[in-house]
Amino acid sequence: MNFKPTYIIKHFFIALLLLPLQQVFAQGINTTFGQNRVQYGEFEWSYVRSENFDSYFYKGGRELATFAAKYAEENLNALETVLDHRLSGRIEIIFYNTLGDFKQSNFGLEEIAQNTGGYTQVVNNKVYIYFNGDHGDFVRQLKDGMSLVLLNELLYGGSFQERVQSATLLNLPQWYLRGLTSYISKPWDADMDNRMKDGLLSKKLMKFNRLNNKDEVFAGHSIWKFLVDKYGMEVIPNMVYITRITRNYENAFIYVTGLKFKDLQKEWLDYYKTLYLKEETGRSLPFAELKIKRKQAQYIQPEMKVSSKGNYLAFTTNKNGKYKVWLFDTKTGKSKKIFKGGIKYNQLEVDHSFPLVTWQQGGDKLGIIYEKRGYVYLKLSDLVTKEKTVIQFQKFEKITGIDFSDNGRTIVLSAIRKGQSDLYTFDIPSRRERQLTNDFYDDINPRFVDYSSKVVFSSNRNTDSLAQPVIPKIYETNNFDIYQYDLESKNGMLKRITRTPNINETQPIDFNRNYMAYLSDYNGIKNRYAARVEEEFDYNEIQIKYFDSTYKNTDTLYYFEENIPQKGKEFDYNGKHVVLDTTVEKIDTILHTKDIVYTYPLTNFTRNILAHDVSVQAKMVYDLMLVNNKYYIKMTPLSKSVEEDSKSIETYPNMFRLKSGYATTQFEAGRKEYRRLPGFAQPVQEVKEETETLITKNLLIWFCQSLVHLLKMGLIKTI
C-alpha cells in the first residue's frame, strides 16, 4: 500500500468505512506504475493500537508488533525529554518479519527513492522496522525512527504543508539529523569504537565532506557523542532549538558552543585521536595473513569458516546486495567463486546476514545458507563428487547461524520463527527438526562441541533455566553471554559459561578437545578468550516421601557435605540426630553438582576480531579484521597451552571501556563458579577462586523452617 499525499482523501474515507472492523488490508494497490518492487506474496495487514501508536503487522508478526507498541509507549517520554518536544500526532509502526520482506514493500517507495541519503526508516510519521534475530537491534530501529519523527515535528512542523514550507528554508545534512537519531537510539559500543579508531588512524574520516552516506551518519553519531561528553545532555535540545530558530546549524554551533563548525571539527578529531593513539601501545596484530584480492577484500562480510583439514577457507562478499561465496585454497593462495546471488540495491539497506557457510566434518562438503524469493535454502556442495543438493526450509523465516555435527547428517540452526530467535537441530536425510529453545530471548551463533554431544551458543537470556516463564522485555543489561546445551540431557537446564553484565560474549567455537573459544569485548576490543567446563560436588538433596500423600507429600532437606551421616531412617541434620517414624515410605538422595568454568584470555589485538574459526588438524586460527580501512584474514598458530600462553596476555580496558564503567581492571583469569541455590528459580552467583562457599541467609531460613515444620507435625524425634 502506497502512502502518497494524492491519496490521503481516498484513504481517509476507506478508513472510516473500516473503523468498526479489525483493519486488514492487502499490499500492492495504488502503487506508482514502473516503481513497484518485486514481491513474492501478498501481505495481509492488521494492526494493534495503543495510546500513541498503531503497530501494523502481517502473518507471524503479531507478537513483535505488540511488543513494539508497548516498548514505544514505555520509552516515548524519555525521547521527548531528550529532545524537549512532545509528540503532537500518532506514529504508525510498520513491522516486517525480516529485512527480506521489507525489500518487497512498496510503502514509502517514492519518498525513499527521492531521499538522497538512500535507505531510510521513516516516511512522515511512519516508522519502518524489521527483525533480524536481535531484539536489541529491533528496539534500536524503533527508537531511531521515533526520534526522527519527533525531530521532524520540532524542526519542520507537524503538518505536511508546514514541512514542505520549512524544508525549503532548512536543509540539514545527514550527519546532523540521522547522526543525532543514531546517537539517541544506540549507545556507543565496541563495534563503533573500533570503526571510529580505524577510520581516524587510517585518515578515512579526516575528509568530512567526502564521506559516503553510511559513514556520514556514523561520523555524525560520533560528533554528537563528543558534544554530549564535553557539554552534557542539554546540548542536544539547545542545538536543535537554535537550529530551528536560526534555520542554520552552523549558527547554532556558534551560539551553543562558542565555536565555528570548522574549529569544532578539529576539536572532535583531536578528542578521539588522543584516546586512540594511547591504546595502540602494548597491543599488536597477527603478522601472517591470507592474500585476498583487493576487489574481493573490500566487500568481505563477517562470515568465514575453515575446513577441518585447514586446506580450504570459505568466505563471503556482498557488493550492494549482490553476494558471492568464495573458496580459498590455503596451500596455493588462490580463490574461486563457487556461488552467487542477490539483486543490486542502490537505495535500500543491504542485508549482510547471508549467505552463511559451514563445513561438514572431513572438509569435503560445504553448506551454504541463502535466501531467494522470500524463502530460505541450504545448498550442500560436495567438492570431490561435485554433487549438489538444495533443501528449502518451509517453517523458518530466516536462519542466522548454522553448524555441522560430526556425523555429517545433523545441523544446528539459529532460526527466526514467529518473532523469536531460537535454536533447532535438523536431520538432513529425514528432514526432521528438533526445537531446543523456545522463548523471547535471542539465541545466536550455535556450534557443536564435545564430539557434537553439546551445543554452545550466545544469548541475551538472564537465566539458565529453559522451563522458567519469560517476560517479553528488554533489560538495561541486554548483553550476550555464552551458554551450553546438553543434547543428551532432559532437565531443561543450560550450563552458563560466562556472566558479564553490559559486556558481550559472542561466536563460541570448539577450540580443541579441552577448550572452547569465544569473542569478548571486555577490554573494549573484541578479542578471543578460551574456557573449559568441569563439574564439582555442590550439595546433597534428601527427599522424604510419606505413605499418606494427602496428608503430606514430601519434605526436602539439604546437605552441603558430600558424605551424608545417614543410616536408614536415622541421620544427623543441623547438629541433631533425627529418627523418622513409620509414616515415611522412602528417602531419596539426589546429588547436585556445580559448574566450574576456567577462562583465559588468548589475544590482545588493537582491532576487533569480526569473525574467527579454527582448524585443529592444521593447528591454525583464522581471524577476520578491519585494519586501515581494509579487511584482512589473519592467521595465528593454535595455542599449545592455553593456561600458560594466557599469562603474557594483558587485558586492561581501553578508554572507551573505562569511561563506560563496566570494566575498570584487567580480566580475572582462572576459576569461576556457577551454581543454583536450592529452592530458588534464579541461578547462579559467581564465586571467585579462593572464596569459600558459604550458606546464605536464605538457605539458613530454609533449613530452619523445614526442621521446625517436621518437629511440629511430630514426624521426627530428637535424641
Side-chain angles (χ1 to χ4, degrees):
M1 185 173 182
N2 191 3
F3 289 95
K4 298 195 306 177
T6 55
Y7 292 105
I8 289 177
I9 298 176
K10 180 177 179 179
H11 289 171
F12 175 75
F13 284 110
I14 292 175
L16 285 178
L17 291 174
L18 296 179
L19 269 178
L21 307 174
Q22 180 189 25
Q23 293 210 6
V24 180
F25 53 93
Q27 184 181 343
I29 61 172
N30 296 331
T31 53
T32 305
F33 179 79
Q35 292 288 321
N36 295 351
R37 299 190 182 118
V38 179
Q39 298 178 6
Y40 307 111
E42 290 188 350
F43 298 149
E44 298 292 333
W45 293 89
S46 304
Y47 73 87
V48 292
R49 169 164 288 185
S50 62
E51 182 180 353
N52 296 288
F53 299 89
D54 293 329
S55 187
Y56 289 83
F57 64 93
Y58 53 93
K59 183 179 179 181
R62 176 180 290 274
E63 291 81 2
L64 271 178
T66 303
F67 169 78
K70 182 180 179 182
Y71 185 90
E73 291 288 357
E74 293 173 347
N75 289 270
L76 176 60
N77 184 64
L79 295 178
E80 291 175 332
T81 301
V82 170
L83 296 172
D84 195 19
H85 174 73
R86 297 296 174 186
L87 180 67
S88 63
R90 299 184 64 79
I91 294 180
E92 295 179 356
I93 303 170
I94 316 297
F95 166 62
Y96 289 86
N97 296 349
T98 64
L99 178 55
D101 284 354
F102 173 74
K103 289 181 178 180
Q104 301 177 42
S105 165
N106 285 321
F107 280 123
L109 183 64
E110 293 181 337
E111 293 88 341
I112 292 176
Q114 293 167 3
N115 178 16
T116 57
Y119 170 73
T120 182
Q121 293 176 309
V122 174
V123 178
N124 296 327
N125 68 328
K126 299 175 183 65
V127 177
Y128 301 89
I129 58 177
Y130 61 88
F131 186 57
N132 63 3
D134 181 357
H135 280 87
D137 184 72
F138 181 74
V139 299
R140 177 203 62 78
Q141 296 176 59
L142 185 56
K143 290 171 69 175
D144 182 68
M146 292 166 60
S147 301
L148 188 55
V149 170
L150 290 170
L151 271 173
N152 284 337
E153 281 189 356
L154 180 57
L155 292 169
Y156 300 105
S159 68
F160 176 76
Q161 185 177 1
E162 288 177 329
R163 292 185 182 183
V164 171
Q165 293 174 347
S166 299
T168 60
L169 301 174
L170 179 59
N171 186 20
L172 294 174
Q174 286 279 51
W175 69 259
Y176 182 102
L177 199 61
R178 296 315 300 262
L180 177 54
T181 62
S182 177
Y183 173 80
I184 294 173
S185 62
K186 183 179 181 179
W188 196 258
D189 60 19
D191 288 322
M192 302 176 78
D193 199 63
N194 181 74
R195 184 178 171 188
M196 187 69 186
K197 179 198 300 183
D198 192 79
L200 283 181
L201 298 184
S202 66
K203 300 184 179 180
K204 179 184 179 181
L205 294 177
M206 302 288 280
K207 301 174 182 178
F208 198 80
N209 58 341
R210 297 185 184 179
L211 297 177
N212 61 36
N213 295 317
K214 192 173 182 180
D215 289 331
E216 187 180 2
V217 173
F218 172 72
H221 185 131
S222 68
I223 287 178
W224 285 106
K225 179 183 182 299
F226 161 69
L227 290 171
V228 172
D229 287 349
K230 184 174 182 179
Y231 300 102
M233 282 297 293
E234 61 272 11
V235 73
I236 294 178
N238 291 341
M239 277 292 303
V240 174
Y241 177 75
I242 300 300
T243 300
R244 179 187 180 188
I245 297 300
T246 63
R247 301 292 180 183
N248 188 301
Y249 70 89
E250 293 192 8
N251 290 339
F253 275 115
I254 295 173
Y255 186 88
V256 175
T257 68
L259 296 172
K260 294 181 179 180
F261 182 61
K262 184 178 180 180
D263 297 329
L264 190 74
Q265 274 186 272
K266 186 177 183 305
E267 281 200 12
W268 161 68
L269 290 172
D270 291 342
Y271 172 78
Y272 286 104
K273 277 185 185 178
T274 304
L275 295 179
Y276 297 141
L277 288 175
K278 296 178 181 178
E279 293 180 5
E280 299 292 289
T281 305
R283 295 187 171 95
S284 61
L285 286 171
F287 292 106
E289 63 185 60
L290 300 181
K291 301 298 182 182
I292 307 296
K293 294 180 180 179
R294 182 177 177 84
K295 64 179 182 179
Q296 299 169 358
Q298 59 183 324
Y299 300 111
I300 287 182
Q301 300 185 120
E303 177 64 19
M304 174 199 68
K305 297 288 175 59
V306 63
S307 64
S308 58
K309 298 176 183 178
N311 54 339
Y312 290 111
L313 183 140
F315 65 93
T316 67
T317 59
N318 193 317
K319 182 180 179 181
N320 298 328
K322 300 191 73 172
Y323 58 81
K324 297 176 182 178
V325 178
W326 300 87
L327 195 64
F328 187 92
D329 190 322
T330 58
K331 294 181 180 179
T332 65
K334 296 181 179 180
S335 60
K336 65 177 180 179
K337 178 181 61 182
I338 60 172
F339 187 71
K340 68 176 182 178
I343 301 173
K344 187 175 181 179
Y345 291 99
N346 291 321
Q347 296 167 329
L348 283 176
E349 182 176 358
V350 174
D351 192 347
H352 293 283
S353 63
F354 72 92
L356 306 175
V357 293
T358 183
W359 288 97
Q360 196 179 57
Q361 186 69 14
D364 296 329
K365 186 176 289 187
L366 178 68
I368 302 172
I369 291 287
Y370 65 98
E371 298 178 16
K372 185 177 181 181
R373 297 181 181 273
Y375 290 99
V376 183
Y377 297 88
L378 168 63
K379 182 177 182 179
L380 300 172
S381 299
D382 194 310
L383 303 182
V384 177
T385 65
K386 308 302 180 183
E387 181 183 352
K388 294 178 174 58
T389 304
V390 177
I391 300 172
Q392 179 180 341
F393 294 98
Q394 299 281 355
K395 298 180 180 180
F396 301 137
E397 298 164 6
K398 190 175 189 66
I399 292 176
T400 60
I402 181 174
D403 190 38
F404 259 112
S405 68
D406 289 348
N407 64 22
R409 58 176 288 161
T410 305
I411 54 176
V412 62
L413 302 170
S414 172
I416 298 175
R417 181 193 288 174
K418 294 183 178 180
Q420 290 186 182
S421 177
D422 296 313
L423 300 184
Y424 302 82
T425 56
F426 184 84
D427 184 74
I428 294 175
S430 67
R431 305 295 198 266
R432 291 184 178 179
E433 68 182 56
R434 172 191 171 191
Q435 187 163 3
L436 305 182
T437 61
N438 183 14
D439 50 42
F440 178 79
Y441 299 119
D442 303 325
D443 302 324
I444 60 174
N445 308 142
R447 296 292 289 264
F448 284 106
V449 296
D450 197 8
Y451 302 95
S452 298
S453 64
K454 301 176 179 65
V455 174
V456 290
F457 62 99
S458 183
S459 178
N460 59 352
R461 60 184 60 245
N462 57 9
T463 174
D464 57 7
S465 173
L466 295 176
Q468 188 173 336
V470 176
I471 300 174
K473 181 180 180 180
I474 298 292
Y475 295 92
E476 290 186 8
T477 56
N478 183 48
N479 65 287
F480 283 85
D481 287 312
I482 304 299
Y483 292 86
Q484 180 175 283
Y485 185 104
D486 191 338
L487 293 170
E488 299 173 357
S489 175
K490 297 182 180 179
N491 63 4
M493 297 294 298
L494 302 170
K495 286 187 183 295
R496 180 187 281 273
I497 308 301
T498 66
R499 190 187 187 206
T500 52
N502 299 297
I503 294 171
N504 291 298
E505 286 88 24
T506 56
Q507 299 188 42
I509 60 174
D510 195 1
F511 197 62
N512 56 42
R513 292 306 180 188
N514 296 320
Y515 286 90
M516 68 182 73
Y518 58 86
L519 303 182
S520 173
D521 59 10
Y522 175 87
N523 70 342
I525 304 170
K526 288 186 177 179
N527 277 283
R528 185 166 36 257
Y529 293 71
R532 81 171 189 270
V533 183
E534 296 181 0
E535 288 186 353
E536 288 185 2
F537 167 80
D538 193 9
Y539 64 93
N540 280 304
E541 177 183 345
I542 297 181
Q543 293 185 351
I544 305 170
K545 189 173 182 180
Y546 301 92
F547 285 105
D548 188 359
S549 60
T550 58
Y551 171 70
K552 174 179 272 300
N553 190 9
T554 58
D555 278 312
T556 305
L557 306 177
Y558 300 98
Y559 279 89
F560 283 85
E561 297 84 13
E562 192 165 359
N563 297 317
I564 302 176
Q566 175 186 355
K567 293 181 180 180
K569 296 183 179 181
E570 297 185 22
F571 52 88
D572 293 326
Y573 180 70
N574 204 21
K576 296 182 179 180
H577 188 68
V578 180
V579 179
L580 299 178
D581 59 23
T582 57
T583 60
V584 175
E585 179 183 359
K586 66 176 182 177
I587 300 175
D588 291 329
T589 302
I590 303 172
L591 175 66
H592 291 267
T593 60
K594 56 190 174 185
D595 298 326
I596 308 299
V597 181
Y598 295 88
T599 310
Y600 302 96
L602 294 178
T603 63
N604 184 28
F605 295 148
T606 60
R607 299 290 191 277
N608 282 356
I609 301 175
L610 304 179
H612 69 149
D613 204 9
V614 61
S615 171
V616 178
Q617 293 184 36
K619 299 180 180 179
M620 193 66 66
V621 184
Y622 297 87
D623 296 313
L624 176 63
M625 310 180 80
L626 175 66
V627 183
N628 295 328
N629 199 33
K630 297 178 183 178
Y631 289 101
Y632 294 90
I633 297 179
K634 302 283 188 176
M635 299 183 297
T636 308
L638 185 65
S639 177
K640 295 181 179 179
S641 175
V642 168
E643 188 172 352
E644 191 65 30
D645 292 346
S646 72
K647 293 179 180 179
S648 61
I649 304 297
E650 184 179 317
T651 57
Y652 195 76
N654 65 4
M655 291 304 297
F656 149 65
R657 181 58 76 206
L658 288 172
K659 284 176 174 291
S660 72
Y662 300 140
T664 56
T665 60
Q666 285 211 80
F667 179 82
E668 188 173 349
R671 172 188 171 114
K672 291 180 176 60
E673 180 178 311
Y674 299 105
R675 61 192 300 269
R676 174 175 289 275
L677 299 178
F680 298 92
Q682 289 295 329
V684 314
Q685 60 186 36
E686 187 171 283
V687 184
K688 295 200 165 69
E689 186 167 3
E690 278 110 17
T691 304
E692 295 182 359
T693 303
L694 300 176
I695 299 176
T696 64
K697 180 180 179 181
N698 286 332
L699 283 175
L700 287 172
I701 295 173
W702 178 276
F703 293 151
C704 292
Q705 287 177 343
S706 298
L707 185 61
V708 171
H709 180 69
L710 291 172
L711 289 169
K712 285 184 177 179
M713 299 301 295
L715 299 179
I716 61 173
K717 300 176 182 178
T718 58
I719 299 176

